[in-house]
Amino acid sequence: MLLEKDYTNLFEDVHTHVKESAEKLGCSGAALFIIHNDKVVTESYFGKQSNVIHARDVKADTQFHIASVRKAYIGFAAAYAIYNGYFSIDAPIQQFVEESHLSAYEGVTIRHLLTHTHGLKIADGKLVNEYKYGESWVYRGPSIELLTMIIQKTTGQSVADIVKEQLIEPIGLQSTEWVKMSQPHSKMTDTIRNANDFFWTETDVVNGSGMNMYVSAQELALFGYIHLTQGEWGGKQLIPREIIQMATSIQTPNPELPIHKNGFLWFVKDTNYPFNQIGDTVPKGSYQLLGYTNVALLVIPEQNIVAVRMFNFYGSPEGYDYLNDIRSFGDIVYKCAIKSAAQ
């Protein structure tokens, strides 16, 4: 790997927090990976990849189901497409959809899709407006389906193609992939879940549109790291700086509204709100994604740090406060980074 390892016990509080969270969730295994000041400072693996007898230990190459964290890769592909002139961020999506006559699409732009401010939802099998575009924020699925379709239609490449060509192959990633769920392999964790969970889906489609992305803790951290460096890798500008800046800066149409702020699907820290996923002490300009498997990728540019936690529990068991847990994760990472920088 490109980065030097310089392990320290100054992030022990983060290690403890992740281990305790894994126990509260009921995970069979978990992982933690932290890059600080261009060095790997913490790398921890806990437990087994599943609850079956003789299950494989969680290791450096273990791949976790990253759920909604995958959206950062879709955001990257969208930024790539915009940078290369395939469409603009404020292009009306009616330009790209087959049923452009539907009133629900009127006024909705690419920007609205990327920032969860589109107002689109499916009700009784029909696409409707939950609220007027740009005036609120709700986490709904149609935006992801539309974005992946528009990227494919305009660039001639799928999200997975773009990510592979621009990131996976140049960096040399080995444990980042969309997996055919009917063909699991030995490095994948088993995702512990309710068998009847409404949100769980399985697919063999590997074009980047599905909820079937598996990544190791190390490689998710490296994905965050190339955002932290604004596209630099090994002393070279591997990704145009403008692509990263678009993806990780606030793109919400009206940033004055008291709603979540987003870049290209990343949550970007601005003002403290009780509903924020990023802790109160984490500085403005930090950005993060959280998946339904409780996986998190946090980047704090002010402290030059990337922190990844990996779990294999889908959803939240009774009594588990996911919002408090993820906020405290960020606050502890930030506190430890300050302590480390001071030494």
Side-chain angles (χ1 to χ4, degrees):
M1 190 177 66
L2 175 73
L3 300 178
E4 177 186 341
K5 295 182 179 181
D6 187 18
Y7 299 139
T8 173
N9 61 6
L10 293 173
F11 290 88
E12 187 62 30
D13 287 349
V14 186
H15 179 278
T16 299
H17 185 274
V18 169
K19 196 166 187 179
E20 289 176 350
S21 296
E23 292 170 357
K24 290 175 188 175
L25 283 164
C27 300
S28 69
L32 170 67
F33 202 98
I34 299 175
I35 300 169
H36 189 215
N37 291 331
D38 309 305
K39 295 179 180 179
V40 179
V41 294
T42 294
E43 182 179 5
S44 302
Y45 306 100
F46 319 107
K48 303 285 186 177
Q49 290 185 181
S50 76
N51 282 324
V52 302
I53 298 173
H54 306 308
R56 186 175 186 261
D57 289 339
V58 173
K59 302 177 181 179
D61 64 351
T62 295
Q63 292 171 236
F64 290 79
H65 188 296
I66 64 170
S68 287
V69 172
R70 72 187 174 90
K71 293 175 184 176
Y73 295 84
I74 297 170
F76 173 85
Y80 166 86
I82 290 170
Y83 175 79
N84 286 288
Y86 291 104
F87 52 80
S88 70
I89 188 172
D90 290 310
I93 63 173
Q94 283 181 308
Q95 295 180 5
F96 311 104
V97 295
E98 291 184 5
E99 298 179 299
S100 58
H101 64 280
L102 293 178
S103 61
Y105 288 130
E106 290 182 9
V108 180
T109 68
I110 299 290
R111 183 186 299 274
H112 295 127
L113 300 182
L114 289 166
T115 58
H116 303 293
T117 57
H118 50 83
L120 301 172
K121 69 176 285 190
I122 303 295
D124 299 323
K126 296 181 179 180
L127 187 70
V128 299
N129 298 111
E130 189 170 0
Y131 56 84
K132 185 177 180 181
Y133 56 87
E135 294 187 356
S136 189
W137 183 103
V138 180
Y139 207 61
R140 301 292 188 206
S143 61
I144 300 305
E145 296 163 13
L146 286 165
L147 279 170
T148 53
M149 179 276 290
I150 291 168
I151 291 167
Q152 173 83 55
K153 187 173 184 178
T154 56
T155 68
Q157 292 182 288
S158 68
V159 167
D161 289 336
I162 293 169
V163 171
K164 182 178 180 181
E165 179 184 279
Q166 301 296 316
L167 285 171
I168 292 176
E169 291 181 344
I171 296 176
L173 302 179
Q174 301 293 320
S175 300
T176 299
E177 61 180 326
W178 285 267
V179 174
K180 290 184 178 181
M181 298 295 274
S182 66
Q183 300 175 23
H185 57 71
S186 63
K187 295 193 297 181
M188 294 165 55
T189 56
D190 179 32
T191 303
I192 299 169
R193 59 189 171 83
N194 184 326
N196 299 315
D197 193 304
F198 175 77
F199 296 105
W200 178 261
T201 62
E202 295 188 359
T203 180
D204 280 356
V205 176
V206 292
N207 63 6
S209 64
M211 196 182 68
N212 56 339
M213 193 174 191
Y214 284 77
V215 186
S216 69
Q218 172 182 290
E219 294 196 359
L220 188 58
L222 291 178
F223 177 70
Y225 179 71
I226 202 164
H227 283 73
L228 177 66
T229 65
Q230 298 196 3
E232 290 187 18
W233 185 261
K236 298 179 181 179
Q237 193 69 41
L238 181 65
I239 307 296
R241 187 177 298 267
E242 294 86 350
I243 288 178
I244 304 299
Q245 290 173 340
M246 272 194 285
T248 59
S249 58
I250 293 174
Q251 302 292 348
T252 300
N254 182 1
E256 300 304 314
L257 288 175
I259 58 175
H260 287 290
K261 306 302 187 299
N262 289 96
F264 281 27
L265 300 166
W266 288 91
F267 290 92
V268 182
K269 178 68 179 289
D270 186 26
T271 305
N272 283 328
Y273 292 112
F275 53 74
N276 280 353
Q277 293 182 356
I278 305 178
D280 284 350
T281 65
V282 178
K284 184 176 180 178
S286 302
Y287 44 96
Q288 175 179 268
L289 272 172
L290 173 67
Y292 202 59
T293 46
N294 298 283
V295 168
L297 167 58
L298 171 64
V299 181
I300 308 177
E302 181 186 288
Q303 289 296 320
N304 197 29
I305 192 167
V306 177
V308 163
R309 71 177 198 180
M310 295 295 221
F311 296 133
N312 71 327
F313 190 93
Y314 196 71
S316 300
E318 187 176 350
Y320 174 76
D321 186 342
Y322 94 91
L323 192 57
N324 177 68
D325 186 75
I326 187 60
R327 287 161 61 89
S328 59
F329 170 74
D331 286 336
I332 293 169
V333 168
Y334 182 57
K335 180 189 72 174
C336 291
I338 292 173
K339 183 170 61 176
S340 178
Q343 296 194 16

